[in-house]
């Protein structure tokens, strides 16, 4: 059975997350249903990361196994046709080796979080950014973020529901930039690591927001990390500003 890698983009608002749910819409379920329209049978696909409800993706990667030897372009076009009107798109499709795996072959995941600073409610950006009504100090947040780069025990920034075997992760990069978005000034957090714990990115961004607002000194981020205690974490920010932007592999696929 030929295996195909899929580069997937989706708006997470209507979904209960990536993972297939028995009674709620999911991104995985939408793609598997589209595959069943092409080859009528039960399909099971795997993804590089299981995003939560409300989280978006611009560069999710999944793989599927097909019976027919599909031309990759025709497969992506057929899937996009059958995915309508769900806000899911197959941006690219490639043939990959039989032992290639979207999750286990990955060596890097990249996330971005968008935070909009304005008092007026978000309208066109609803569900795509986290709006805060106060200005944030970018330099202070960068100083706080510096404590988190490298290999650490991230128990403080880990959901109690996390199923990872170990809280130790290596955070390769946190980049924090202020840009002028169409709806107003945004803070964009870009994080890169081989893998992340459940809610790690949202916990980090929520904590750094407290630093930017002046409620925490930057040094408190280091103290929270060292505590290895979930109670030491700042607020967990909402999911709708979070995007899975890319997945890296030893041999680039897309």
């Amino acid at each position: 059975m030929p295996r195909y890698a899929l580069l997937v983009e989706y708006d997470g608002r209507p979904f209960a997350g990536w993972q297939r749910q028995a009674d709620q819409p999911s991104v995985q379920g939408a793609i598997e249903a589209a595959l069943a329209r092409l080859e009528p049978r039960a399909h099971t696909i795997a993804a590089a990361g299981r995003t939560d409800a409300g989280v978006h993706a611009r560069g999710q990667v999944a793989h599927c196994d097909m019976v027919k030897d599909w031309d990759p372009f025709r497969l992506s076009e057929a899937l996009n046709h059958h995915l309508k009107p769900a806000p899911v798109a197959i941006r690219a499709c490639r043939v990959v080796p039989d032992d290639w795996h979207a999750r286990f072959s990955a060596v890097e995941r990249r996330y971005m979080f968008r935070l909009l600073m304005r008092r007026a409610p978000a309208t066109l950006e609803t569900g795509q950014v986290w709006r805060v009504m106060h200005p944030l100090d970018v330099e202070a947040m960068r100083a706080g973020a510096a404590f988190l780069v490298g290999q650490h025990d991230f128990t403080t920034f880990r959901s109690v529901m996390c199923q990872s075997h170990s809280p130790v992760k290596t955070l390769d990069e946190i980049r924090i930039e202020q840009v002028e978005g169409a709806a107003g000034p945004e803070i964009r957090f870009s994080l890169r690591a081989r893998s992340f714990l459940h809610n790690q990115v949202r916990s980090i961004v929520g904590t750094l927001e407290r630093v930017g607002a002046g409620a925490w000194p930057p040094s408190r981020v280091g103290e929270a990390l060292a505590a290895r205690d979930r109670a030491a974490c700042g607020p967990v920010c909402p999911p709708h500003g979070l995007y899975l932007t890319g997945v890296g592999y030893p041999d680039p696929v897309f």
Side-chain angles (χ1 to χ4, degrees):
M1 299 178 72
R3 177 163 290 187
Y4 297 87
L6 307 173
L7 181 62
V8 189
E9 178 179 275
Y10 50 86
D11 180 341
R13 285 178 289 181
F15 299 107
W18 166 270
Q19 192 169 3
R20 186 194 313 114
Q21 307 276 337
D23 56 351
Q24 298 183 76
S26 68
V27 182
Q28 181 183 8
I31 298 174
E32 289 174 350
L35 287 166
R37 298 289 298 274
L38 304 179
E39 291 187 1
R41 58 184 174 86
H43 289 260
T44 299
I45 62 174
R50 296 177 177 178
T51 53
D52 289 336
V55 175
H56 315 294
R58 291 178 177 169
Q60 172 72 281
V61 177
H63 76 256
C64 63
D65 295 321
M66 306 297 284
V67 173
K68 179 182 172 182
D69 194 6
W70 286 82
D71 173 77
F73 175 75
R74 290 187 179 277
L75 178 57
S76 64
E77 289 289 286
L79 284 173
N80 284 330
H81 174 76
H82 290 296
L83 279 164
K84 294 184 291 189
V88 182
I90 308 302
R91 294 178 53 195
C93 178
R94 300 285 187 273
V95 177
V96 289
D98 293 347
D99 61 351
W100 187 91
H101 196 284
R103 177 184 175 190
F104 299 120
S105 298
V107 296
E108 179 181 272
R109 278 100 174 153
R110 299 183 297 276
Y111 282 90
M112 178 183 69
F113 194 96
R114 297 174 60 201
L115 186 156
L116 175 66
M117 296 183 295
R118 77 179 205 183
R119 293 195 60 83
T123 52
L124 299 179
E125 303 282 355
T126 298
Q128 299 177 346
V129 296
W130 176 28
R131 176 183 65 101
V132 300
M133 294 189 291
H134 45 266
L136 298 173
D137 184 334
V138 173
E139 290 304 322
M141 289 190 291
R142 287 173 178 159
F147 290 98
L148 304 176
V149 176
Q151 185 180 80
H152 304 286
D153 181 328
F154 280 97
T155 295
T156 298
F157 300 93
R158 176 189 194 185
S159 165
V160 295
M161 298 170 58
C162 182
Q163 298 178 353
S164 179
H165 295 303
S166 171
V168 177
K169 295 290 180 183
T170 300
L171 188 56
D172 295 310
E173 180 183 28
I174 304 181
R175 191 172 69 254
I176 304 172
E177 300 173 307
Q178 181 168 339
V179 301
E180 191 61 35
E186 288 188 24
I187 304 292
R188 293 185 181 173
F189 302 80
S190 300
L191 296 90
R192 179 170 57 86
R194 184 182 185 95
S195 61
F196 290 87
L197 300 167
H198 187 213
N199 275 1
Q200 184 180 354
V201 176
R202 290 169 55 198
S203 298
I204 288 173
V205 172
T207 297
L208 293 177
E209 186 276 336
R210 292 290 77 205
V211 174
W216 284 33
S219 60
R220 187 170 167 182
V221 178
E223 294 165 4
L225 177 68
R228 300 179 184 179
D229 181 355
R230 185 65 175 165
C233 186
V236 179
C237 65
H240 44 258
L242 183 59
Y243 298 73
L244 174 57
T245 56
V247 184
Y249 295 92
D251 296 315
V253 180
F254 300 105

